[in-house]
Amino acid sequence: MFIKAKQSRVFQDVVEQIQNAIISGKLEPGSKLPAERELKDMFNTSRGTLREALRVLEQKGLIEIKLGVSGGAIIKRIDAGIMIESMALLIRSGEVSLEHLAEFRIKTEGSIMELATQRATKKDIKELEKLFNRAKDYYEQSDWENFLLTDEKMHTYIGTITRNPVFQFVQKTIHDNIHLYYNEFLPMDKDRSLENLMDFKRIIDAMKAGDQKAASEIIMDHVKRFNDKMLEKTRKKPKE
Amino acid sequence: MFIKAKQSRVFQDVVEQIQNAIISGKLEPGSKLPAERELKDMFNTSRGTLREALRVLEQKGLIEIKLGVSGGAIIKRIDAGIMIESMALLIRSGEVSLEHLAEFRIKTEGSIMELATQRATKKDIKELEKLFNRAKDYYEQSDWENFLLTDEKMHTYIGTITRNPVFQFVQKTIHDNIHLYYNEFLPMDKDRSLENLMDFKRIIDAMKAGDQKAASEIIMDHVKRFNDKMLEKTRKKPKE
DNA sequence: CAACTTCAAATGGTTAAACCATTGACTCTA
DNA sequence: TAGAGTCAATGGTTTAACCATTTGAAGTTG
C-alpha cells in the first residue's frame, strides 16, 4: 500500500537533482559541473555534504572527478562500468561461481549470436574479419597480451552487431570479468588459443551464410569448451 | 602494458579495506561496523573523509546506515539492488528502450525457462501452483496491486528454480524495472491479465511434463504479447 | 625568438571542532 | 504499571582552515 517515506538527507536531495539533470539531458556528457565551492552555494549546503553527494554520483558512474585547476566534475556517458563492478563483486565474494557464469554465457552468447547473424551487415562481417586476422597475427607472433585483447574485442563486437544495448552491456560485463579472472589465474595455453581462434573463422562463415543456428551452436560449444578447460585448470591450481 | 597508477585518495583506501573485509567474509552480513568516530581513529583519518568512504560503500550496496543510538553501518547481504538501479538509469535516460528490454527478455526468459524445466523439483512445481492460485484469487477479487505482485513473484521464482544466481539477478533486475515502469505508465487491463495468467497454467503443465521446448516457447510468446500490448499503449498515451 | 623555469591561482582532498536530529533506553512519577 | 520526561550515543551538517595537484601565465635565459 504505502512505500516507506524517504528520510531527508541533504546529500540525497543534491544527488537526485543532479542525477535528474543528467538523465533528462539538461547536462550533457563532457560538460562540467561548477566548482565545489560554487555548487555548495547553489544548493545552500556545506562543502562536506556536497562532496558526499558528488561521491555518490561518482560511484554511480554519472560523473568523473579531475584534480587541479580546470579540474572538477565532468558528466560521463553512461557505460557498463557499474555493472562490471557489481558482477566482479559477486564473483569475488563467491556468490557467483565460474560455472554459474559459464552457464549464463552459453545461453546468452547463443542468443546474441542468433541476433547478430540476423543483423550483421557486410561492414560488420568485414570488421570481424579484420579482428580475426589481427588476432591471428598476434597468435603467430606469440603476443598473448594483444591476442587476448583482440579475442575479447571479437566477442564484444558480436554484441555490438545485435544493435541492442542490453546485450551489449551484458556481453561487456561478462567478458571484462572473464578477462580479469583470466589474467589473474590462468597461464596462456597455446593449443587452446588456436582452437578458440579457429572457432571464430567458423562463426564468420556461418554468419556469411546467414545460418543463425550454426553460428549459435558454434559459439555455445566454444564457450563450453573454454569453460571446461578453465575448470580443469583452476582445479589443478587452486588459488588458496 | 601498464595500467594507470591509482591516485591516492584516502577515502578510496578506506573503501577498499572495508570492502575486502566484507568480500573475504571477515565481516558478515548483519554485523555492524564501529561508530564513525571510532572508525575515523582506526583509519587515522578525519570524519569527513571517513564518511565519504561510507557513502561509497552504501552506494555499492555493501552497507546500510541507520540513524540514532544503536544506529551505524550494517553489513548487507549482496543483492540485485545496484543492478536494478543501473538498469533503471539506462531506461530512464533513454539509452535502453522498452523494445530493447523486451527483446532481451524474450531470449533470456526462454533460456531461463529451459533450465527451470530441467531442474524443477516437485516442491518447485507446488510453489508455482501455489503462486498461480493466489494470483487467480487476486484476479477474481480484482485486487490488481496484489495480482501484479504475485505475477512478478512467479517470474522471479522461475529464475530461482534455475539455481543459478546470475539468472536470478538478471530476472530480478528486469522484472523490478518492468514493474516500476508498469506502475508508472500503464493502467490495468483485465483481458490482458487473464491471458497472462493462463499462460502460467500452460507453463506449469509443460514443466510437469518436462517439456523444455514447450515451456520455453510459451514464455517467449507470453513476453512477446506483453510487449506488443505495452508498445501499443505507450504509443497511444505518450508520456510527454 | 624559442625553450625552459618559476610562480600564482583555481580546484579537489583533508582535517578539526562544533552543533543538530534521531533514536532507544533509562528514570521518574502518577 | 503505564506514561512522560530525560539523557546519551550515533549519524547528519556546518564552518573554516590548510594541503596537494594541475595548468597557464609570466618571467628568464640561451
Side-chain angles (χ1 to χ4, degrees), chain B residues 21-38:
Chain B
I22 294 174
I23 286 176
S24 68
K26 274 178 214 122
L27 292 172
E28 289 194 358
S31 62
K32 213 165 69 176
L33 289 179
E36 290 180 358
R37 290 163 178 87
E38 281 178 62

Side-chain angles (χ1 to χ4, degrees), chain B residues 49-112:
Chain B
T49 299
L50 178 86
R51 279 175 60 81
E52 291 189 27
L54 292 181
R55 213 78 303 137
V56 171
L57 291 165
E58 183 184 51
Q59 180 56 36
K60 284 189 174 197
L62 292 172
I63 62 173
E64 191 184 348
I65 297 175
K66 288 202 168 143
L67 230 62
V69 59
S70 88
I74 299 163
I75 314 296
K76 261 180 61 173
R77 187 168 300 283
I78 301 181
D79 63 17
I82 335 169
M83 291 196 186
I84 291 169
E85 216 189 313
S86 304
M87 182 58 76
L89 267 180
L90 288 171
I91 294 171
R92 289 179 57 198
S93 70
E95 186 89 8
V96 165
S97 71
L98 290 181
E99 283 97 324
H100 291 140
L101 200 60
E103 183 172 88
F104 181 75
R105 269 189 81 189
I106 290 171
K107 296 284 189 185
T108 306
E109 299 210 32
S111 299
I112 289 177

Side-chain angles (χ1 to χ4, degrees), chain A residues 146-198:
Chain A
N146 279 313
F147 173 78
L148 269 189
L149 273 176
T150 313
D151 181 82
E152 197 184 341
K153 269 189 194 152
M154 282 194 281
H155 278 281
T156 51
Y157 191 73
I158 291 171
T160 305
I161 298 175
T162 65
R163 267 74 182 173
N164 184 329
V166 184
F167 281 112
Q168 288 162 12
F169 283 121
V170 169
Q171 188 76 332
K172 186 110 183 58
T173 301
I174 292 174
H175 281 276
D176 256 55
N177 274 289
I178 299 245
H179 197 101
L180 268 180
Y181 196 87
Y182 199 90
N183 279 337
E184 189 170 357
F185 293 107
L186 297 180
M188 181 40 73
D189 173 334
K190 190 151 185 172
D191 292 338
R192 195 200 56 70
S193 300
L194 185 59
E195 199 180 56
N196 261 6
L197 190 57
M198 284 313 147

